[in-house]
Amino acid sequence: MATTHKTRMLIIGSGPGGLSAAIYGARAGMQPIVVQGLQPGGQLTITTDVENYPGFREVIQGPWLMQEMEAQAVHVGTRMMYDVITSVDLEGPTFKAIGDSGDVYEGETLVIATGAQAQWLGVPGEQELSGKGVSACATCDGFFYRGKKVVVIGGGNTAVEEALYLTNHSDEVTLIHRRDTLRAEKILQDRLFANPKIKVVWNQRVERFLDGENGELRALALIDTQTGEQSEILTDGAFVAIGHAPATELFKGKLPMDETGYLLVEPGTPKTEIPGVFACGDVMDHTYRQAITAAGTGCMAALDAERYLAHRDFAEAAKVEA
């Protein structure tokens, strides 16, 4: 039988943004509910070594970090719900979400922390070698390839930015693109072509990621998109940079988005156009996409939710007195 769960702060998503919002919301007495979604813990649960999250001198594991965040959120008063939201009603004043279980979740405020997923090529070896030489985040993993050969796959802004970033760690960066021109902005292309550490390989499509005897990435199998000629390129690390897809399908037609599907918020805040509805983490951030920035915007969402409720409650009390 379906159950209705009520809270002052409903959070959809359980990555660093959602759990940070939960921690701050719980400490403010809002008794938040987190609906965890299809991937409890978010993208960090499929990330192995994490070396850039503040507070840990040694490398930590992504799944462990998310387990600790969840435990902290529960410890201060968050309710974790293992469910997947299938529809939402943002008409208010109470925001409603329907779970795949049939349960109804009602929140006086709503924090959207559904995140984004890297887009992958979908070729053999890609997922098998994820974390073993194949990555979708140079900022996250580039440090592990200091002094090694790396390749970046893609032709847009993301790919060019990743290639440029990787030159901080590697003197041999190869950008592989399936066409003979880049889609990236001209200023980024100018920087790319002027960098002596970067070589561009044109008209090549990745057919397969190849492993070596140690089970780590060894090379990429390529095919020429013009001639059909096959080749291999040896590399220590490969970064797939063909974009990210924000998980915003639930909110189409209900909240403003940009042309790529990211939720639009008031600049410098997590506030959407609907008072009481906030967005944090990768669902609204297509620029940084880091665990620490997601956690920061989750904190902001909780603080703004608390202020929204305090303001609303004060206004309602003033009406009663009048």
Side-chain angles (χ1 to χ4, degrees), residues 68-85:
E68 290 298 298
M69 280 193 184
E70 179 181 333
Q72 184 180 6
V74 170
H75 177 72
V76 292
T78 301
R79 284 184 286 168
M80 308 297 299
M81 309 301 291
Y82 297 91
D83 204 348
V84 177
I85 299 302

Side-chain angles (χ1 to χ4, degrees), residues 169-180:
H169 305 296
S170 172
D171 291 333
E172 296 183 67
V173 179
T174 301
L175 181 71
I176 300 172
H177 187 40
R178 59 182 178 175
R179 299 188 177 91
D180 59 2

